[in-house]
Every structure is written in structure tokens, then in C-alpha cells.
Amino acid sequence: MDWKAQIDSAKLPQHVAIIMDGNGRWAKSQGMARVFGHNKGVDSVRQATEAAAELGIKYLTLYAFSTENWNRPQQEVDALMELLVNTIAKETDTLMKNNVRLLTIGDTNRLPERTREIFKACMEKTQSNNGLQLIIALSYSSRWEITEAVKLIADKVKQGQLDISSIDQQTISRHLNTASFPDPDLLIRTSGELRISNFLLWQLAYTELYFTDCLWPEFTKEEFYKALVNYQQRERRFGKTSDQIAK
Ligand code: IPE
Ligand code: IPE
Ligand code: MG
């Protein structure tokens, strides 16, 4: 099936978010150590980024490392941090060439200095690129993000800069790490797990969810196109009736 040919370019999602899961299981299936799967997963990141950029999707958010992932064996955490450094170092030129801007969400202060520095450098270098906005969720969890937002809002109230009665949903959205991005239209999770794992809980309120058994290292452009075609078959009602939407 030629999935790309089935995509309606007039109905593309503005923002796609991906929970990239299944690297460890893929490595195991190959008789290799988990890190081998993370390395191979970088190819899939490239595929998804290229596909999104080529189609003209404006925002792509990739869940690369969660707050809870800090609890993995130190050796795996170290390997992931190293992989992030090497990948960003290697890919920055390609991002420039393709007009991609790199951004992060998450508690990046927890990252090792080298990781933080390379991301900072890449973000600065790509900051004027106005093609795809590639957002990497790093040391990110939604409950962490919402807790931080509550603290920021509470502080403004305390300082007399914000009136409690004026707090609305926009106030909350504006204090999240994702303040400058629209909510995702489509969430993809690979590896067959049917859960959100603390990702963008607030932002996913009306997002279309797509789960695939495909393990992340096996995720290709074709898989991405397939998810988009599936998304385009959905009717997004936002609480209204189907008749109202058809108008
Ligand atoms: C996703 O793959 C990558 C990260 C969470 C960093 P996993 O490492 O979770 O792979 P599985 O789920 O164990 O197969
Ligand atoms: C979610 O994957 C986090 C990332 C993809 C970075 P996990 O593999 O950590 O999720 P759980 O723990 O199985 O829910
Ligand atoms: Mg996993």
C-alpha cells in the first residue's frame, strides 16, 4: 500500500507528538543489549523528522526521556545521554539544511552539563529556522510540568501580578513548557503499549490517539504516513454532534 499517496495534504495535522517506545524489546529480539535498540532508534527519529518536514507539518514533539526514565540502571541512563550528545552534534547541519528548529521541553537542568550544552548550542543555531519545529521532550513528565506551572501561577498571585478570578485555561496553558505550541492533533505511540506514561496530559485533552505494535527502531516513514492516513479518517467532534461538524 502506498500510504503517502493517500494523505490529503489539505488535512494535515499541525502538531504530531510521538511516544517512541520499544527500543529495548527490539534489541532483545535481535539478541542484543538495550543500548543497541536506542542507537537504532535514532534512525527512526530521522525518518519521522524527515517525513514531517517534507509534508510540511509544523510541529513534531518526540518523547525522548521521561522523568521516570531517570530510575533506569545508571549505565543505560549514561548511554542515553551520550547518544543524545552524539546525535545532536551529528545532526545539527542537517537541521540547518532543512530549516528545522530544535526546541526542548522538560526539566533540562537535570541533564548532565555536556548534554545541556549541546542542546543549547543547537537550539541557538537553529533558532531562526521557520520550517518544522522539532520539540524534544527530555527529562519531561506532564505532572512535573503542571506542578511547575502551578508554582509559577501561585507566585504571580502572591506578588499581586495575577488575580485569582482571572485564572482560566489559557493561564494554565501559557505557564506550561509548551506555551508557544498548539496542542497536538495526533499522538502516536509505538510498541503496543496502551498508555500515556505521563506525557502531555493537559495538552492531549482532544488529541487523536494512534497506537501501533511497531517497535520504535522499526518505525519508518511508511509507518508515519500510515498513522496520518488513519488520523485523517477520524471525525474530530470536540464535544459536538456529527451533524454540527458536517456543516
Ligand atoms: C523507548 O524504548 C526509549 C526510552 C524510553 C528512552 P524503551 O527503552 O522503553 O524500550 P522497551 O519499552 O523497554 O522495549
Ligand atoms: C515512555 O516510555 C517514555 C519515553 C518514550 C521516553 P517508557 O518505556 O518509559 O514507558 P513505560 O514506563 O513503559 O510506561
Ligand atoms: Mg518502554
Side-chain angles (χ1 to χ4, degrees):
M1 178 82 94
D2 182 0
W3 294 104
K4 193 178 186 185
Q6 314 242 344
I7 296 172
D8 177 350
S9 57
K11 288 204 309 195
L12 284 172
Q14 217 193 340
H15 185 174
V16 177
I18 308 184
I19 301 177
M20 310 183 290
D21 198 13
N23 293 350
R25 277 164 282 170
W26 181 81
K28 196 171 177 193
S29 78
Q30 307 294 305
M32 302 294 278
R34 296 178 56 81
V35 181
F36 184 70
H38 297 316
N39 281 309
K40 184 69 169 35
V42 175
D43 290 342
S44 303
V45 170
R46 217 175 280 121
Q47 295 260 323
T49 306
E50 267 181 32
E54 283 164 12
L55 289 168
I57 289 169
K58 193 73 200 165
Y59 301 89
L60 178 67
T61 300
L62 302 177
Y63 204 5
F65 193 84
S66 72
T67 304
E68 289 75 19
N69 289 150
W70 287 115
N71 299 321
R72 291 194 176 190
Q74 191 59 44
Q75 192 197 349
E76 181 168 343
V77 171
D78 291 345
L80 281 166
M81 293 300 143
E82 188 63 24
L83 182 61
L84 286 168
V85 170
N86 294 337
T87 305
I88 296 299
K90 210 160 60 198
E91 301 294 329
T92 301
D93 285 349
T94 313
L95 297 180
M96 288 306 293
K97 219 180 298 160
N98 294 313
N99 195 22
V100 179
R101 180 177 184 183
L102 184 88
L103 297 145
T104 60
I105 54 172
D107 190 3
T108 45
N109 286 328
R110 283 186 75 177
L111 297 170
E113 197 179 338
R114 244 161 63 83
T115 315
R116 224 173 32 230
E117 289 298 317
I118 192 106
F119 269 91
K120 190 166 162 251
C122 184
M123 286 193 292
E124 279 171 9
K125 191 155 185 202
T126 61
Q127 67 183 344
S128 306
N129 293 346
N130 59 7
L132 176 70
Q133 308 289 291
L134 177 63
I135 304 149
I136 311 291
L138 268 181
S139 188
Y140 173 89
S141 72
S142 196
R143 288 184 173 182
W144 165 80
E145 179 189 41
I146 291 170
T147 306
E148 291 307 301
V150 169
K151 286 191 228 168
L152 290 170
I153 293 167
D155 193 54
K156 285 188 184 169
V157 170
K158 190 176 158 197
Q159 307 291 332
Q161 296 165 1
L162 186 66
D163 199 58
I164 291 181
S165 62
S166 74
I167 296 175
D168 57 13
Q169 295 187 18
Q170 295 302 321
T171 315
I172 308 215
S173 294
R174 276 200 305 270
H175 287 84
L176 297 172
N177 284 197
T178 52
S180 49
F181 319 130
D183 288 341
D185 302 293
L186 169 66
L187 172 80
I188 298 171
R189 183 173 188 146
T190 57
S191 91
E193 305 298 352
L194 306 179
R195 55 178 173 259
I196 302 296
S197 301
N198 217 348
F199 192 43
L200 303 173
L201 301 177
W202 172 275
Q203 298 87 337
L204 294 177
Y206 259 108
T207 301
E208 296 297 328
L209 309 179
Y210 177 86
F211 297 97
T212 168
D213 286 338
C214 175
L215 301 170
W216 181 250
E218 290 173 336
F219 193 86
T220 55
K221 283 187 182 181
E222 279 307 304
E223 293 290 336
F224 192 77
Y225 300 147
K226 195 168 145 186
L228 291 176
V229 171
N230 185 290
Y231 162 83
Q232 292 188 329
Q233 288 161 355
R234 316 265 182 104
E235 181 181 59
R236 303 187 74 189
R237 289 194 285 276
F238 298 99
K240 295 183 179 175
T241 66
S242 195
D243 286 349
Q244 285 177 296
I245 301 299
K247 270 185 206 150

